[in-house]
Amino acid sequence: MSDQPNLSTILSGMNISALNEMQQAANTAILENPEILLLAPTGSGKTLAFLLPVLTLLSKDVDQVQCLIIVPTRELALQIEQVWRKMSTGFKVTCCYGGHDMQTEVRSLTEPPALLIGTPGRLLDHMHRQSFSYRSIATLILDEFDKSLQLGFQEEMTEIVANLRNVKKRVLVSATAGSKIPPFVKVKTPVELDFITNKNRTSGLTLVQIVSQRGEKMSGLLRLLGTLGGESAMIFCNQRDSVERISEILKEEGIECAFFHGKLEQEDRERTLLRFRNGSVLYLAATDLAARGLDIPDVKHVIHFEMPMKGDEFTHRNGRTARMQSEGTAYILVNSDEQLPEYIIYPPKILSLPATFTKPPTPEWTTIYLSGGKKNKLNKMDIVGFLLQKGNLGKNDLGLIEVKDNISFAAVRKNKVKQMLGLIKEEKMKGKKFKIEIAR
């Protein structure tokens, strides 16, 4: 086993001062036991909780895949990859998922990563192609395993796990208590760490309902957004059509609202989440795909425009706010003749809204696109220095910067964008001219 990098260095890179109780318990349990079931709420830091012990288990002397992480969605795969990169472990990681160029993945796997993360269908495709050897996989992690089963991946997962003959450690992770462990995982007597049922999950969560007359729920949503003072909110619906319709209606009212659902192209999904992360868009209308497993910050307001069928999904949606000891509010929008679902045992108090709609403030940030990334030897500091010096920006005029392989994005204060773009039009960064414009 390799020497684990200094924990304080890892935490510093993650902007965390110390591990929380769940992360400490998971780190110890995963290292000491062959079978673990980790149950912890969305937003509690589960990803770091299982990646830290994985780092200790990896060996520099093995040049094959040593740990396989199976996830239900590409967003969760990318989130885990991002956390691993922030940890600066020195071990290669590769992400495999549908909608990503297969040949790019195949090329990446020719130099085997120590850590391989992927969705079931794509991982099985690579197994059939023999893109990587699985003889050295000693650690298997199924993150959000219940979600993978809900999405119908049991057959693919069964075949993948059956091919892994040398697994010594199996870790199952979920944000849902009471999920049954399927037999194909070959977990018999797991050590269970339950940080869901034994903890008061909603200590920082305020739950309220907004009652509208039939056909006036959208009016209720508009008046609610007008009271939030420009703070970000996620608006949950059950159907893709509802999500797009809400986004369109808000746009007609002069309110920008991005939308997110499973039928969007991967690039559109990633750009939508990026704009929501950096504050270029304040409102995100989404299906339950966005209720967990996404790399987005804690939001203060979760709005249930349509109530989910199951209590678990209601809990996951609410998990987007009041995370990690913070506070937040979940709003239930209902018609006056509508019954609350059975999973809501105590009806929340009714919130009265102003009779008239006041348009909320517009975002202070705009997302800027740059045509270069890591493969062009660009990093965050290069972009910061260039935009501050050549674009005549102050430090407070720059927000979140994200550097991808071939492109980058930066949040710039909206009232400074036009002047900045004019100043840098003919300028070079690191000796090369890049295309820089408002992101589409």
Side-chain angles (χ1 to χ4, degrees), residues 157-438:
M157 292 166 76
T158 301
E159 187 175 341
I160 291 168
V161 175
N163 277 300
L164 307 179
R165 305 288 166 79
N166 300 313
V167 172
K168 297 180 177 65
K169 202 169 288 286
R170 297 167 196 267
V171 181
L172 282 82
V173 185
S174 177
T176 306
S179 299
K180 284 189 176 179
I181 299 174
F184 71 80
V185 182
K186 301 176 185 174
V187 167
K188 296 177 179 63
T189 54
V191 171
E192 184 174 311
L193 300 177
D194 186 349
F195 285 83
I196 297 177
T197 56
N198 296 336
K199 303 288 172 186
N200 181 7
R201 291 197 55 197
T202 56
S203 57
L205 178 69
T206 302
L207 195 61
V208 296
Q209 60 176 324
I210 293 164
V211 181
S212 305
Q213 294 303 312
R214 176 173 280 282
E216 293 184 10
K217 198 186 274 191
M218 184 58 72
S219 168
L221 174 62
L222 283 165
R223 286 181 289 130
L224 171 60
L225 294 181
T227 68
L228 300 185
E231 293 180 336
S232 62
M234 292 185 72
I235 305 163
F236 281 104
C237 300
N238 297 331
Q239 306 294 331
R240 293 192 292 264
D241 290 349
S242 305
V243 162
E244 294 193 18
R245 184 169 57 85
I246 283 175
S247 178
E248 192 62 39
I249 292 171
L250 292 181
K251 204 172 187 179
E252 289 170 4
E253 296 289 342
I255 303 169
E256 187 164 6
C257 175
F259 62 85
F260 184 92
H261 57 63
K263 280 293 181 183
L264 288 177
E265 292 292 328
Q266 178 61 19
E267 185 179 340
D268 292 333
R269 286 201 216 178
E270 289 181 29
R271 290 200 183 194
T272 296
L273 293 179
L274 183 140
R275 292 174 65 224
F276 189 59
R277 271 198 298 272
N278 70 22
S280 295
V281 63
L282 297 176
Y283 310 119
L284 180 65
T287 60
D288 285 326
L289 180 65
R292 51 177 166 164
L294 294 188
D295 180 25
I296 50 178
D298 189 10
V299 293
K300 284 200 173 175
H301 309 281
V302 164
I303 301 168
H304 302 275
F305 190 83
E306 295 173 345
M307 294 297 283
M309 298 295 288
K310 295 180 179 177
D312 280 348
E313 291 304 334
F314 181 69
T315 302
H316 290 313
R317 288 179 179 185
N318 291 338
R320 280 290 161 202
T321 190
R323 295 156 70 178
M324 302 289 280
Q325 288 78 55
S326 64
E327 295 184 352
T329 306
Y331 305 84
I332 299 170
L333 271 63
V334 291
N335 290 322
S336 52
D337 59 351
E338 200 176 338
Q339 294 286 319
L340 289 174
E342 289 181 1
Y343 54 76
I344 296 181
I345 301 166
Y346 304 107
K349 67 176 183 180
I350 295 173
L351 179 70
S352 296
L353 293 174
T356 55
F357 164 59
T358 304
K359 187 177 167 185
T362 56
E364 294 180 14
W365 302 97
T366 295
T367 302
I368 300 301
Y369 161 87
L370 299 92
S371 65
K374 293 172 189 170
K375 292 191 175 175
N376 307 96
K377 301 290 191 288
L378 287 185
N379 59 39
K380 282 186 186 179
M381 295 316 297
D382 296 327
I383 295 170
V384 169
F386 177 75
L387 295 180
L388 293 187
Q389 292 163 25
K390 304 293 186 182
N392 198 27
L393 295 178
K395 284 186 179 177
N396 293 333
D397 297 328
L398 262 184
L400 187 69
I401 293 173
E402 298 192 31
V403 183
K404 311 287 186 184
D405 283 347
N406 298 302
I407 56 176
S408 301
F409 298 92
V412 176
R413 208 165 286 280
K414 190 174 282 186
N415 60 2
K416 299 288 179 124
V417 169
K418 189 175 179 183
Q419 179 191 23
M420 180 208 74
L421 290 176
L423 289 170
I424 63 176
K425 196 174 181 183
E426 302 301 328
E427 298 288 349
K428 293 182 178 179
M429 184 167 25
K430 297 188 85 169
K432 185 178 176 185
K433 198 164 182 299
F434 293 96
K435 186 177 184 179
I436 302 174
E437 62 187 14
I438 295 173

Side-chain angles (χ1 to χ4, degrees), residues 68 70 120-121 123-125 127-129 134 153-165 184-186:
L68 179 66
I70 305 176
L123 285 173
L124 189 58
D125 200 346
M127 278 188 160
H128 291 160
R129 291 166 181 257
Y134 29 93
F153 289 130
Q154 176 151 344
E155 202 174 307
E156 291 91 338
M157 292 166 76
T158 301
E159 187 175 341
I160 291 168
V161 175
N163 277 300
L164 307 179
R165 305 288 166 79
F184 71 80
V185 182
K186 301 176 185 174

